[in-house]
Amino acid sequence: MRRMRTLVLALTGVLVATPLAAQFDLEPHRASADRLIQSALRDSAAYQRLGRLVDGFGHRMTGAPSLERAIDWIVAEMRRDGFENVRKEPVTVTHWVRGVESAELITPRRTKLAMLGLGRSVGTPPQGIRAPVLVVRNFADLRARAAQARGKIVLFNVPFDTTVASFAGYGGAVVYRGAGADSASAVGAVAALVRSVTPRSLRSPHTGGMSYDTSGRLKKIPAAAISVEDAEMLQRMQDRGERIEVRLTMGARTLAPAVSHNVIAELRGSERPDEVIVMGGHIDSWDVGQGAMDDAGGCVAAWEALRLIKQLNVRPKRTIRVVLWTAEEIGLTGANAYRDAHRAEVDKHVLAMESDNGVFRPRALSFGGVAPGLDVMGRIASLLGSVGVYTARAGGPQADISPLYALGVPVASIDTDGSRYFWYHHSEADMIDKLDPVDLARNVAIFAVIANVVANMDGSLGRAR
Ligand SMILES: [Zn+2]
């Protein structure tokens, strides 16, 4: 039954949409691609714009005034750039605030621990929670020591696996940030600490989202990240048989829902304006550092790409739309809201692109869709050798385009050098100096070339499913 339905859907897709670009001809696109690359690399305009955004507004935590001020500035700048249909689309968002927070080692020695509360965590009573600490290596270790966990603060000291690709290393450790509190609560712990999810540390704590079981069976306990160095120190103390006591104080609260906005700007298509290429990043960040890498850089890459395409003075045949999604970090809220607000035209989204892995040095293109689409993307990659990209490989969606991908929109992204991404991710160190102006310009060029080729090509990339 399922196979049959897939077949019917696939057939209808081919019949009603533009035929797949099996005979895709690259040559008509070469000259404009070269011009886009040259103008992206000519100066550091993208980096200057990124600097004004992140130095001018700082972090853009969901619910914070700085996010909405940044959004208003972007909208004004985009209108000055001469884009079309520049607008804000309202999104109701979770408004979590950190409040005043600290973690103090009391026994065997009094000292401050470098910490950051986790997003969506509950707070502690005003006087904090003072309790003995149980350090565990993983969930299995916690299960084995479950009898010792009651009344304690459980620390998950789970290293970031540096022997695998960085996003795989992240995936292996981040589950403890997300679900550590519930696991600890289930065995009677009073709070949870997690070792910061990073492969490198200069005693910098890294925040990030967590969540609670919604069934109401588990008590919600506060959760915070501590630095790798502090986690290792507590581990050594436990290994020596020392009694460890910590006071965790967190003023974290979830306030009434707030209103934020997705930002949209377009160049309307000349021949098929109802067919849309989307590219963007998420405009919100955590409330530490500047969120320059995660993800102001991705937002500016898409924004500048649209500006360069406009400068070509050749209106694209399909509509090219920049979307800066809000409230990604606190729950992918802007991306889901975009999908819902645009559901009627999702079938007309011919490609969605996102940059949320850091605008570091590009290495390849990643494409999620059918084989003929991947073939087209591979040929587009052959236009991008001067910016470090030669190939396209199959890959899934980044976060904010995953709701579109689930509805069949093909997705593309730039596979960048991710080796340093998690050094800075969700920490005070995520500031613009970690990004390189030339690497940013290369990302701008790639977004511009892909968007412009797909907007002007005969045939389509097919549906992703
Ligand atoms: Zn991000």
Side-chain angles (χ1 to χ4, degrees):
M1 183 61 203
R2 193 143 131 229
R3 242 180 91 196
M4 190 64 173
R5 206 175 60 194
T6 312
L7 181 67
V8 171
L9 278 176
L11 284 173
T12 4
V14 170
L15 291 176
V16 298
T18 320
L20 287 173
Q23 303 304 318
F24 173 66
D25 182 7
L26 199 58
E27 288 317 309
H29 305 285
R30 192 176 293 278
S32 55
D34 287 345
R35 280 181 61 196
L36 289 168
I37 293 169
Q38 277 164 21
S39 49
L41 297 181
R42 188 172 47 218
D43 56 32
S44 58
Y47 201 77
Q48 301 304 323
R49 185 159 245 176
L50 178 61
R52 285 197 297 278
L53 171 59
V54 298
D55 292 340
F57 300 93
H59 78 67
R60 299 165 309 286
M61 179 73 187
T62 296
S66 59
L67 171 60
E68 299 313 306
R69 282 199 295 264
I71 286 171
D72 288 341
W73 176 78
I74 291 168
V75 164
E77 289 282 298
M78 284 177 157
R79 292 200 171 116
R80 254 195 290 279
D81 287 339
F83 301 146
E84 292 149 330
N85 298 324
V86 178
R87 62 192 187 274
K88 305 197 292 184
E89 294 186 343
V91 181
T92 302
V93 296
T94 299
H95 189 187
W96 178 85
V97 293
R98 173 178 307 286
V100 175
E101 59 181 18
S102 64
E104 187 190 12
L105 180 66
I106 293 171
T107 309
R109 173 175 67 93
R110 258 183 199 268
T111 187
K112 255 177 68 181
L113 303 175
M115 65 82 76
L116 276 173
L118 298 182
R120 289 193 295 270
S121 176
V122 296
T124 65
Q127 72 278 16
I129 292 174
R130 179 176 169 165
V133 172
L134 172 69
V135 187
V136 298
R137 284 293 189 183
N138 48 48
F139 290 129
D141 193 16
L142 177 63
R143 279 193 297 275
R145 297 162 182 253
Q148 304 166 45
R150 181 154 300 279
K152 290 194 179 146
I153 297 173
V154 167
L155 164 62
F156 293 92
N157 182 25
V158 184
F160 191 113
D161 185 352
T162 52
T163 65
V164 295
S166 64
F167 284 86
Y170 180 69
V174 77
V175 290
Y176 292 88
R177 191 188 78 201
D182 272 356
S183 309
S185 176
V187 291
V190 291
L193 297 174
V194 294
R195 170 184 171 132
S196 287
V197 184
T198 182
R200 281 289 167 94
S201 181
L202 294 172
R203 213 182 177 197
S204 48
H206 296 241
T207 188
M210 58 84 65
S211 57
Y212 293 110
D213 173 72
T214 52
S215 71
R217 278 174 299 143
L218 292 173
K219 184 174 178 342
K220 292 181 180 180
I221 61 172
I226 61 172
S227 75
V228 169
E229 289 89 334
D230 288 300
E232 285 290 292
M233 178 176 71
L234 298 188
Q235 179 80 59
R236 289 192 301 275
M237 288 171 169
Q238 175 169 293
D239 292 349
R240 285 192 293 261
E242 293 167 3
R243 176 183 154 80
I244 311 166
E245 212 181 7
V246 161
R247 188 197 329 263
L248 178 68
T249 309
M250 291 172 60
R253 281 186 304 154
T254 299
L255 307 176
V259 176
S260 185
H261 302 85
N262 289 332
V263 176
I264 292 188
E266 294 177 343
L267 294 178
R268 293 296 288 176
S270 58
E271 292 182 15
R272 299 163 172 264
D274 56 328
E275 295 187 11
V276 181
I277 290 103
V278 157
M279 59 180 168
H282 66 85
I283 188 57
D284 68 300
S285 72
W286 286 105
D287 55 343
V288 289
Q290 295 180 322
M293 181 194 77
D294 184 11
D295 181 29
C299 292
V300 168
W303 175 7
E304 283 288 297
L306 193 68
R307 190 176 65 84
L308 298 187
I309 294 167
K310 183 172 190 324
Q311 277 185 354
L312 287 175
N313 276 322
V314 183
R315 183 174 284 278
K317 291 176 182 169
R318 295 181 172 95
T319 294
I320 304 176
R321 177 183 296 165
V322 165
V323 183
L324 309 184
W325 291 278
T326 194
E328 187 268 350
E329 300 288 7
I330 208 74
L332 211 62
T333 320
N336 287 327
Y338 176 85
R339 173 204 58 205
D340 294 343
H342 295 267
R343 202 176 275 270
E345 58 165 354
V346 165
D347 288 348
K348 297 284 192 178
H349 280 54
V350 301
L351 178 67
M353 296 193 283
E354 178 172 25
S355 169
D356 185 23
N357 288 350
V359 285
F360 295 107
R361 183 168 298 238
R363 299 187 300 196
L365 303 183
S366 162
F367 178 76
V370 293
L374 179 58
D375 183 55
V376 169
M377 209 51 65
R379 280 186 276 170
I380 295 174
S382 74
L383 298 171
L384 298 168
S386 61
V387 283
V389 161
Y390 299 90
T391 54
R393 46 176 165 259
Q398 293 189 8
D400 292 286
I401 53 178
S402 59
L404 296 175
Y405 182 67
L407 294 177
V409 179
V411 293
S413 52
I414 306 169
D415 175 14
T416 53
D417 173 6
S419 57
R420 283 169 291 141
Y421 183 75
F422 292 106
W423 297 10
Y424 316 124
H425 183 250
H426 299 181
S427 82
E428 291 285 3
D430 181 359
M431 296 184 66
I432 188 174
D433 55 280
K434 308 308 184 302
L435 300 171
D436 176 73
V438 178
D439 284 340
L440 173 57
R442 290 178 173 127
N443 280 270
V444 171
I446 294 166
F447 261 7
V449 169
I450 299 173
N452 199 51
V453 170
V454 173
N456 289 299
M457 67 189 253
D458 300 325
S460 84
L461 298 166
R463 302 309 289 169
R465 58 196 65 222

